[in-house]
Amino acid sequence: MNTLSNKIVFITGASAGIGKACAEAFAKEGANLILTARRVSILKKLSQSFTKKYKIKVFTAKLDVRDKEEVKIIISSLPKEWKKIDILINNAGLARGFNNIDEGSTEDWDEMIDTNVKGLLYISREILPLMVKRKRGHIINIGSIAGHAVYPKGNVYNASKFAVNALTKAMRLDLYEKDIRISTVDPGMVETEFSLVRFRGNKERAKKVYEGLKPLTPEDIADAVLYCATRPRHVNIDEIIIMPSIQASPMHIKRKPE
């Protein structure tokens, strides 16, 4: 195994769900963390908890990955010792709305593309030169089964995750000769704030997504991300597709009868 002790791990969308679970999983392994998200108050609480519990260093920053200039400022202004980023976990992402494409909201489309695609690109573009300069680094993108198979009313969210899948493959081709490892972890149904965000806070509608089944947990995904990160340097995990046992595709889900 590749030890993570004292490595620097940069995580986007670290305030909840998969990002938060990844932060804790890597903290347990002794990694120092750069945690970014829009909800900085949560990040500060996580920082206090992790530094006390795991005796690691944590740097937090309020960051909206959609804001190209903010991304540039945050990364360029990192203290010198924090710029030696070993692992980037591109986790920030969301779904908005669930409509047929002829009825979709263009505002929702912009938010998904700006976050899931352009945000990933903005972050990667600023951090990759730091990795290339050091001739080492690992980017782990959080994709989705939605980037492998479309489903009704998924349209633009599907498109954004297909783009993440394509970008992961492109990164692999562009960067393997520069000793940068590239991985993607692509989950099926995971019980997080995902559906609550998609349905704009409608708790009842979000709850129904997970009724009658046992979905994945954020910790399941963090475990897969950790597996990618801890392989020996000569090993690159290109892709992990991880699904709950009751889900065979976005459309094939076994639910308990009501």
Side-chain angles (χ1 to χ4, degrees):
M1 282 180 62
N2 185 21
T3 179
L4 295 173
S5 181
N6 291 316
K7 295 283 181 69
I8 295 177
V9 182
F10 189 114
I11 305 174
T12 65
S15 60
I18 293 169
K20 180 181 176 183
C22 284
E24 179 128 27
F26 280 79
K28 284 180 183 176
E29 297 297 321
N32 297 319
L33 306 175
I34 301 174
L35 303 181
T36 68
R38 289 180 288 181
R39 295 178 289 183
V40 72
S41 60
I42 297 175
L43 297 182
K44 287 179 179 178
K45 289 179 182 177
L46 290 176
S47 174
Q48 291 169 359
S49 172
F50 293 162
T51 52
K52 184 178 180 181
K53 190 174 180 181
Y54 301 115
K55 313 301 181 189
I56 61 166
K57 298 175 184 176
V58 181
F59 185 97
T60 63
K62 185 178 185 296
L63 178 63
D64 185 341
V65 297
R66 299 173 298 175
D67 188 330
K68 179 168 59 176
E69 293 309 312
E70 185 175 76
V71 168
K72 285 183 177 181
I73 290 167
I74 291 295
I75 295 172
S76 65
S77 64
L78 284 172
K80 186 177 179 181
E81 65 270 22
W82 283 103
K83 286 187 176 179
K84 296 177 181 179
I85 298 165
D86 297 287
I87 299 165
L88 164 61
I89 302 174
N90 273 318
N91 167 72
L94 54 77
R96 283 287 195 201
F98 194 65
N99 302 98
N100 290 322
I101 199 162
D102 59 306
E103 300 168 339
S105 160
T106 55
E107 289 80 11
D108 288 348
W109 296 353
D110 285 342
E111 189 174 6
M112 286 185 280
I113 291 168
D114 289 348
T115 305
N116 301 352
V117 184
K118 292 164 71 176
L120 180 147
L121 284 168
Y122 294 157
I123 293 285
S124 301
R125 180 62 183 83
E126 295 305 311
I127 290 178
L128 270 169
L130 303 175
M131 292 180 169
V132 170
K133 186 177 180 181
R134 296 174 60 228
K135 297 182 180 180
R136 64 187 303 150
H138 192 172
I139 291 182
I140 305 173
N141 294 327
I142 304 300
S144 171
I145 189 60
H148 297 267
V150 297
Y151 53 86
K153 302 183 180 181
N155 45 70
V156 175
Y157 177 67
N158 281 127
S160 73
K161 287 301 186 177
F162 266 78
V164 171
N165 189 16
L167 286 169
T168 299
K169 290 177 168 60
M171 287 178 176
R172 185 83 170 96
L173 294 176
D174 289 348
L175 296 163
Y176 78 98
E177 290 184 313
K178 297 179 180 180
D179 299 319
I180 307 300
R181 298 196 292 176
I182 306 292
S183 304
T184 183
V185 175
D186 300 353
M189 296 180 76
V190 186
E191 190 164 11
T192 64
E193 294 179 348
F194 177 87
S195 291
L196 196 62
V197 171
R198 167 169 258 175
F199 299 127
R200 294 192 175 275
N202 187 327
K203 292 181 181 179
E204 196 63 34
R205 196 174 178 192
K207 186 180 177 183
K208 285 184 178 179
V209 173
Y210 308 108
E211 279 184 355
L213 57 83
K214 185 173 177 59
L216 298 169
T217 68
E219 290 73 25
D220 293 327
I221 311 311
D223 187 51
V225 173
L226 193 66
Y227 179 82
C228 293
T230 53
R231 296 310 91 200
R233 284 197 67 188
H234 72 286
V235 176
N236 189 96
I237 305 298
D238 282 26
E239 176 182 275
I240 293 178
I241 297 177
I242 178 169
M243 306 279 276
S245 300
I246 48 78
Q247 182 182 21
S249 82
M251 294 300 295
H252 295 82
I253 300 165
K254 181 184 177 183
R255 296 180 188 271
K256 294 176 183 176
E258 294 182 4

